[in-house]
Amino acid sequence: MHINITKSATGNNKGSSSQLVAYLEKENMMAEQLNKNYQPEYWFNHERHDIHPYEVRLGIDNNVAKLSKDDAKFFLINVSPSEKEILFLKTKYGEEDAKAHLITYTNQVMDAYAKNFKRDGVNGNQDLVYFGKLENNRYYTYKDLEFRKGQAKKGDIKPGEQMHVQIIVSRKDASNSIKLSPLNNSRGTNKSHSQKVGQFDRVAFKQATESLFDNMFGYNREVKESFNYANALKHGSYEQKEEVREPQRAEQVMKFGYKQGYHGKGVLETLLDNSGNINIAPTSDDSRWKKKKKKKPGQDQSRGPSR
């Protein structure tokens, strides 16, 4: 599960949300051009699943009390399951119900988002102003390698399972009185700053959303899929990297340790002889296993070549 928080992928988040809302309607507009009977993907939040774009724009743009022109007015959160996670949902619930479950999960993600600020008066998603939009596809842009190589055109649909959710969330809470910034790096060390914008721990948030997915859907996550594993490999010390690799090594032993080896024996059985001693194959420098050279005609092995 990949959760990403940005100022805005498209449009300036210090002004109106109209440009971003219009951009996130692209899939509906493209589908409607191809099929007039197409049922659009509506916006949603914890209260409704039939929200129209103009309601999103008004909800975000009218919730900006006491924000200056240089303040961020909203943020964009991207909830992107891996292809394996998407296939898991579709296999378990079917195509349409998988969408509904991803929407339910997203609302729970925003509940965890609110609680992560640790602010009085912000206790759950009901205390936020946010709107989510499910998208079924991703599209090539000029930044993609396939586009630069001429293998795909801008706007072409990318292959594979690409279902994800984009969320626009207001900088202010639902009461329009508390500033909330998920890009704040404070974790409580600067108390006065934390009181103004809250303590948002992005690592803890991503860990919580991953556990939420696993618990909600009964997903058995491998170590190498986890946020802790990826985060440690990217940012951790040598000791931290080794710590997260150890469970993966254990997984490999559980997965392949009893794989059938030579003569129908398991790997461990192959390494152990009947006495319980480790049976190691000879090395190339073991004299017992070196092939004897054939004696050439007229050559005495004990005295060297005949003259």
Side-chain angles (χ1 to χ4, degrees), residues 52-238:
H52 292 269
Y54 74 90
E55 296 178 274
V56 177
R57 179 179 57 79
L58 290 175
I60 296 296
D61 292 354
N62 290 337
N63 200 62
V64 294
K66 296 184 180 180
L67 291 178
S68 71
K69 64 177 183 178
D70 293 325
D71 283 335
K73 308 300 188 299
F74 56 87
F75 299 97
L76 181 68
I77 302 177
N78 185 288
V79 178
S80 296
S82 67
E83 187 165 28
K84 183 179 177 182
E85 290 168 333
I86 296 171
L87 288 172
F88 173 84
L89 291 179
K90 289 186 175 182
T91 300
K92 187 170 185 177
Y93 301 110
E95 185 85 22
E96 288 304 314
D97 283 350
K99 294 181 182 181
H101 280 85
L102 184 57
I103 288 173
T104 300
Y105 167 74
T106 300
N107 283 325
Q108 291 302 307
V109 166
M110 295 311 293
D111 196 64
Y113 173 89
K115 292 174 180 177
N116 197 268
F117 283 103
K118 298 179 176 63
R119 291 292 302 273
D120 292 338
V122 184
N123 303 310
N125 57 19
Q126 73 277 2
D127 299 312
L128 302 173
V129 176
Y130 73 92
F131 303 93
K133 177 72 165 56
L134 186 142
E135 294 188 316
N136 296 287
N137 300 300
R138 291 187 185 277
Y139 306 88
Y140 286 108
T141 70
Y142 67 90
K143 295 181 180 179
D144 290 305
L145 181 62
E146 292 84 351
F147 171 81
R148 298 199 300 270
K149 287 185 173 182
Q151 297 171 350
K153 297 178 181 179
K154 182 180 177 181
D156 284 352
I157 296 176
K158 291 185 176 182
E161 297 291 343
Q162 301 287 353
M163 185 169 64
H164 62 285
V165 177
Q166 304 273 18
I167 307 160
I168 305 176
V169 57
S170 174
R171 169 73 179 275
K172 302 295 291 290
D173 76 319
S175 70
N176 209 357
S177 60
I178 302 174
K179 289 183 180 180
L180 301 169
S181 174
L183 301 183
N184 165 41
N185 290 320
S186 173
R187 296 185 184 179
T189 54
N190 186 331
K191 292 185 178 179
S192 61
H193 184 63
S194 296
Q195 288 174 351
K196 292 180 180 179
V197 295
Q199 304 172 26
F200 197 89
D201 187 336
R202 290 194 292 276
V203 170
F205 174 60
K206 292 179 180 182
Q207 289 171 329
T209 57
E210 185 177 276
S211 297
L212 182 64
F213 184 92
D214 298 348
N215 293 333
M216 280 186 69
F217 304 121
Y219 183 74
N220 186 19
R221 186 175 303 279
E222 294 183 12
V223 173
K224 64 181 180 180
E225 293 180 76
S226 69
F227 170 77
N228 285 342
Y229 181 83
N231 192 52
L233 291 187
K234 186 175 181 180
H235 302 292
S237 63
Y238 173 79

